[in-house]
Amino acid sequence: MAQCVQSVQELIPDSFVPCVAALCSDEAERLTRLNHLSFAELLKPFSRLTSEVHMRDPNNQLHIIKNLKIAVSNIITQPPQPGAIRKLLNDVVSGSQPAEGLVANVITAGDYDLNISDRSIKASVPWYSNWKDTLMELKESSLYTATTPWFESYRETFLQSMPASDHEFLNHYLACMLVASSNEVEPMEQFSKLSQEQHRIQHNNDYSYPKWFIPNTLKYYVLLHDVSAGDEQRAESIYEEMKQKYGTQGCYLLKINSRTSNRASDEQIPDPWSQYLQKSSIQNQESYEDGPCTITSNKNSDSNLLSLDGLDNEVKVDGLPNNFRAHPLQLDQSSDPSNSIDGPDHVKSASSLHETKKANTGIIHGACLTLTDHDRIRQFIQEFTFRGLLPHIEKTIRQLNDQLISRKGLSRSLFSATKKWFSGSKVPEKSINELKNTSGLLYPPEAPELQIRKMADLCFLVQHYDLAYSCYHTAKKDFLNDQAMLYAAGALEMAAVSAFLQPGAPRPYPAHYMDTAIQTYRDICRNMVLAERCVLLSAEILKSQSKYSEAAALLIRLTSEDSDLRSALLLEQAAHCFINMKSPMVRKYAFHMILAGHRFSKAGQKKHALRCYCQAMQVYKGKGWSLAEDHINFTIGRQSYTLRQLDNAVSAFRHILINESKQSAAQQGAFLREYLYVYKNVSQLSPDGPLPQLPLPYINSSATRVFFGHDRRPADGEKQAATHVSLDQEYDSESSQQWRELEEQVVAMVNKGIIPSSFYPTQYCLNSYSDNSRFPLAVVEEPITVEVAFRNPLKVPLLLTDLSLLWKFQPKDFSGKDNEEVKELITGEPEMIGTEVISEFLINSEESKVARLKLFPHHIGELHILGVVYNLGTIQGSMTVDGIGALPGCHTGKHSLSMSVRGRQDLEIQGPRLNNTKEEKTSIKYGPDRRLDPIITEEMPLLEVFFIHFPTGLLCGEIRKAYVEFVNVSKCPLTALKVVSKRPEFFTFGGNTAVLTPLSPSASENCSAYKTVVTDSTSVCTALISSASSVDFGISIGSQPEVIPVPLPDTVLLPGASVQLPMWLRGPDEEGVHEINFLFYYESVEKQPKIRHRILRHTAVICTSRSLNVRATVCRSNSLEDEEGRGGNMLVFVDVENTNTSEAGVKEFHIVQVSSSSKLWKLQNSVNLAENKEAKLASREKGKFCFKAVRCKEKEAAMQASERYTFADIIFGNEQIISSASPCADFFYRSLSSELKKPQAQLSLHTEKHSIEDAVRLIQKCSEVDLNIIILWKAYVVEDSKQLILEGQHHVILHTIGKEAFSYPQKQELPEMELLKFFRPENTAVSSRPSVDQLSNLIKTSLHYPESFNHPFHQKSLCLVPVTLLLSNCSKADVDVIVDLRHKTTSPEALEIHGSFTWLGQTQYKLQLKSQEIHSLQLKACFVHTGVYNLGTPRVFAKLSDQVTVFETSQQNSMPALIIINNM
């Protein structure tokens, strides 16, 4: 049970006190009425004695009574009606609520922070997230017992309003005060009348009520004297007369009204009556806190006592004293009891109650009394008790004791008798079931059993619990023997209480007595009121012994259907028992609170019902018991709505809807409708107030995306708009990084290679992945689209109507004045910001759906997008047609909306967690997310790009011509248009100088993308020379080939203007799908402070299929040099293979031209293709070509500084493609550009000796060749029975002599995994020895001799043949050469094959060759007989002049030099 203000040891004596009747004359009543009090009410605050009292028991032992209290009440001859008692109890409970404001503030903003309100400590039991914490807190907290003042008020009222009954005497009158005034004409006569009246009421059979304890009731005569108005001497003389007639012990002169009420109340006299007189307006618990401090220090224990006999202040007393007023609990016939007690309309009774309270608070009680008068009244009570009441009780006890002893013939005193009774033969107590229903048995008043009971009750009233227990125990046996069950139950009940209250606790509390009594009252006597009293007392006793479990069981046992209020209060107390156990049972507490709340609700106690549900909610919240939570929230919502606590109702219903509900669709629909209904009522109360926050649908704020700009135009025929950025594209971090790099590249180029510090990558679409730390920039007159992600958690569809964005705009004028306009709805003038409204937006059950809402800024300034505003509703009949949302005709306004409320939801996006500084790492801090706060800037140009005839599929290397259209759709001119791409080799706009008239883009056979010249057939196989500079094509060392300026006429595109430019495309060399990103960069002609440039993105997807594979090698020719060139000739071998699979419909490829491009070399002629003029390759065929290459003339070679390349074309058809013009040269240079980007190694020319590395470098340069081959081809394709000619080109870049080069990138083979070696490598330096291949190219040797030589061997046996050995130094340094003519020791087989011959003359030559010098040695070979001989035997060793090491040049690459010796 909850904590009580009183302990049980105080509660029980205060509940059973000696009752005294008061009978006043009219004049006396008038005197007390001056204070707005009746006589009985006047005595109320002083009815507890301030000192201990002594009396003697029948054994003449002194007995001390502490804290004795008496109850004085006016005589009422009508017993109280049960209905009236019920109403009174109902009002008491409803009048006692937790401290004002607590209930209203319980549910705060949808998040529960519920407490058991506790006035006295303003604290509560905290139960929060999990059981463990709860249990620990409850155990350790000293405040874990909350008070329930409504229960205490109820209990007090209940105990005091119990009607007197015949089977017990505790609330029978022991004495009667007869009160007359000193102002009466004949006071003594008045006393006689009053005395006779009392006698008549007690002994006349007409009056069955009230009940009197014993026949000769103590009469106590009180003379009231009005000090301010009466005659003091007369009063004294009358009092003397009274003393003589009634004795000094039986009368009293009470002086009151020492001042007049109309005096200015200069001194504040306390009003101790107010707390007792809240009878019609039940005391509120403020009287606990703020009530005046009475002088009696009575622990506030009786602060809640209700005067059951107080008169209503307006009632006038009749002149005749025998017209007794009706009982105050008499029902007012005019008011319908059903309505006020258990009726549902609680609001009415509460308000009327409030008015009564207001009326009462204005009345000052005791206005004519001074503090002296207070003391006099206190003194009067003391005197009455000491001199009158207690001696009377003492005497009565003795008489009863004597009577019992004489009747029963027992020994002198009951004390000695008790031993016999207890130790003697015990009569076994019969079980309840054996007993006959004899509750109807009645004893005559003078029956000895009743005398024992009377004596027991008297002893109990004066706190003599030992004697009381003995008597009750005796009486209990007698009653059980007689089977008078009602009497037996009463004796059992009081015996148990007496046993508990006995000082020194000689015996344990006999709880089984109480259980038997309760069972008897309830089941046999059918008297629930008495059973309830038993339970209340027993539960308090058990609680005081910390037997909470037993107390709870007892309380729960008495809950029944006959009284909802009682059941509710007892269930609530049982719940508190569970929480107060050693190990608190929190869930049991919550469950019983729910039951109590339900019963309170049935009893019409809406506030208490709401409180119980709220307290239980603390336990069920967050445990995943969603159905229980829904039930509680629903009930809280309903009760709050009934109590007009609309905000709480809305909050509770909101909880049902926003938690992941497991309810059925029908139930959710009902919840939603209820919520909307309550919400509508709330919003009607304040129609002009701010829009309320709606709980549905869920908005995933972090998934909000913001897009700046117009929607992309769809493709129009052959025109295809640039893809740019749109909300339909998925975010990809890799591609966004690529776009960022492209933009940085072009910005760096524009700013002379440095990215300015103010640069920030352009972001058109902001989402949770983008960097939203700074305010985004939007351009005036360009729409802003906000994509909001909604989710409907319910199983019923939601219909949002009139959905739009909520915003705040702060225009910034150039005058510098800020005037903030806050526009929340479209009703504000849309001159600043236009707002798009979606009229209907349906979200099906459990569906996630995005809405795209637009704003149109018409003014520059700062915009803040706050949230969305809409009407929330559901569809009529959505329960029956489940799939209605999926119907196509959904958003045409055909939905019939059942009910909707206008509200808003805010978009609040949490920024990213900060993690940079130490402080940020150790705490949780979030950065800003400003994607919803764009700054609207001045107008900017806006570019749109369209691609015409843009292919989706190409052959590898295929050249195709397309057109690009640039349109300026804004009102500002744009300039500095550039395009940047990671794949510049894919496209070109043509060279700077080549002015090509764009041919019409219709694809026909004769229309070539190349610039061609018709040739005559004689010039076949010899090269046609032209030259071009790479600077003309935007390629130079250190430039950025990726950034390509777009050649706009006049470099400016005016507003509304459009221009079409040709664009050549070349299929990438690798087959597959290629995504190629273009970023178009442009600026405004007028420089803007906020936005420097704008970009437009386009991603082209090209699918390439295989065409040709080209591989080429170059090697030195061993033939004699041409007359014209000193640097030797080269042979170029080209293999072309058709790898196309015929799926693409390609019939065959024709190689139409092979061109070379180099600064140093050029192709001279074709070696092998004189007879087969047309080079055709069908599928999977391979062709081999061999060309002779020569060095360019010195004059041409000198041009390399100007980046000029010599182009040589060898034609296999009758049309020359000018390879030095667009687009052939463009693509060639673009493929070269990656090579050019590599830094060139500079030779370090020191005066000292070259380092070894330099030597190696010199040797390496000998084997380098800078020759590039361009293969131009046509492919014949049959498509839709129409023949098309495709054309294309492949490039092979030859670097090194003898090394094969390819037109297509080679796949790198991964090296096999090796075991780890755990040792330190000795020397990690690069090997300083050049490779054998490189060495063999340092010196080029060639032997010149006749192919066959005729010699007459019969004339001369030795044949001498002159042979010239040409040595050419290929390097740029001096070389020392040793030529050794001695044969190596070769195997005999080799001798047999080649035959043996001898070199005559010097066998070793030492020479020094200057840079690129050619030296010839005249040698003689000597043969002895005919045959075929290999002259390639001389060994040549070479070293750089300034190097010590000698490297042998291996001759493996040289051809065998065969000579035939014939005999003549």
Side-chain angles (χ1 to χ4, degrees), residues 1332-1404:
V1332 176
D1333 285 358
Q1334 290 167 346
L1335 288 172
S1336 65
N1337 291 317
L1338 187 60
I1339 297 287
K1340 180 181 160 190
T1341 60
S1342 60
L1343 290 164
H1344 290 248
Y1345 55 90
E1347 278 186 27
S1348 66
F1349 192 83
N1350 296 335
H1351 178 72
F1353 277 100
H1354 56 273
Q1355 290 176 17
K1356 216 176 180 183
S1357 59
L1358 289 180
C1359 167
L1360 299 180
V1361 180
V1363 178
T1364 307
L1365 172 63
L1366 272 183
L1367 300 169
S1368 64
N1369 178 1
C1370 298
S1371 76
K1372 302 224 171 154
D1374 295 355
V1375 177
D1376 292 344
V1377 182
I1378 297 172
V1379 181
D1380 191 352
L1381 298 179
R1382 286 172 297 183
H1383 285 298
K1384 270 189 178 168
T1385 52
T1386 48
S1387 60
E1389 291 88 354
L1391 289 173
E1392 281 170 30
I1393 296 165
H1394 298 297
S1396 180
F1397 73 97
T1398 317
W1399 294 104
L1400 298 182
Q1402 216 175 317
T1403 56
Q1404 202 178 46

Side-chain angles (χ1 to χ4, degrees), residues 478-629:
D478 292 347
F479 292 140
L480 281 174
N481 287 336
D482 295 343
Q483 295 204 350
M485 293 319 296
L486 180 63
Y487 294 89
L492 279 166
E493 175 189 6
M494 296 317 291
V497 176
S498 305
F500 171 71
L501 290 173
Q502 275 177 336
R507 54 179 60 81
Y509 167 61
H512 58 288
Y513 279 17
M514 272 295 192
D515 295 345
T516 310
I518 294 166
Q519 209 173 344
T520 308
Y521 281 143
R522 195 183 62 191
D523 301 339
I524 295 175
C525 309
R526 306 262 178 241
N527 190 328
M528 290 307 283
V529 177
L530 291 169
E532 185 177 350
R533 183 181 70 183
C534 264
V535 167
L536 291 176
L537 295 175
S538 186
E540 272 307 322
I541 293 168
L542 290 169
K543 188 186 90 174
S544 71
Q545 298 177 334
S546 297
K547 294 181 180 171
Y548 289 107
S549 178
E550 292 88 335
L554 196 64
L555 291 161
I556 294 166
R557 232 168 71 197
L558 205 70
T559 54
S560 60
E561 289 307 312
D562 63 323
S563 167
D564 288 315
L565 182 64
R566 179 185 71 230
S567 301
L569 287 160
L570 296 185
L571 283 165
E572 185 181 14
Q573 292 309 306
H576 281 285
C577 286
F578 289 124
I579 204 75
N580 283 332
M581 287 180 179
K582 204 176 233 172
S583 51
M585 296 183 168
V586 187
R587 279 179 293 196
K588 264 202 155 134
Y589 159 82
F591 181 63
H592 284 85
M593 277 312 238
I594 295 286
L595 296 177
H598 176 63
R599 297 306 288 269
F600 270 131
S601 179
K602 282 174 75 177
Q605 298 281 352
K606 303 292 182 199
K607 282 188 179 172
H608 285 296
L610 177 58
R611 182 183 48 72
C612 288
Y613 274 101
C614 288
Q615 287 174 15
M617 187 61 185
Q618 300 171 121
V619 177
Y620 287 118
K621 189 172 65 178
K623 298 290 180 301
W625 294 13
S626 61
L627 295 177
E629 273 189 69

Side-chain angles (χ1 to χ4, degrees), residues 867-881:
V868 287
V869 56
Y870 54 93
N871 297 323
L872 171 65
T874 179
I875 305 168
Q876 276 287 1
S878 58
M879 295 296 101
T880 51
V881 186

Side-chain angles (χ1 to χ4, degrees), residues 113 261 462 714 727 849 857 895 991 1077 1102 1171 1356 1374 1392 1440:
D113 186 11
S261 58
V462 293
L727 284 170
K849 194 170 178 183
H895 299 304
N1077 292 338
I1102 299 283
E1171 63 288 342
K1356 216 176 180 183
D1374 295 355
E1392 281 170 30
L1440 297 177

Side-chain angles (χ1 to χ4, degrees), residues 216-236:
N216 63 340
T217 303
L218 167 70
K219 291 187 178 126
Y220 194 77
Y221 299 89
V222 183
L223 182 65
L224 268 190
H225 173 61
D226 188 326
V227 177
S228 58
D231 180 351
E232 183 119 6
Q233 283 184 338
R234 179 167 187 253
E236 290 289 352

Side-chain angles (χ1 to χ4, degrees), residues 51-113:
S51 57
E52 291 182 352
V53 197
H54 299 253
M55 63 172 278
R56 294 197 172 272
D57 61 25
N59 243 12
N60 220 17
Q61 299 289 316
L62 193 64
H63 170 62
I64 300 169
I65 308 168
K66 295 178 182 172
N67 269 339
L68 181 65
K69 186 176 139 188
I70 62 168
V72 182
S73 55
N74 292 341
I75 292 180
I76 292 147
T77 55
Q78 286 294 321
Q81 292 186 358
I85 293 176
R86 275 206 305 278
K87 181 182 185 308
L88 174 70
L89 292 172
N90 215 44
D91 290 351
V92 164
V93 174
S94 63
S96 176
Q97 296 289 345
E100 276 306 313
L102 256 179
V103 174
N105 297 335
V106 158
I107 309 166
T108 51
D111 183 22
Y112 281 15
D113 186 11

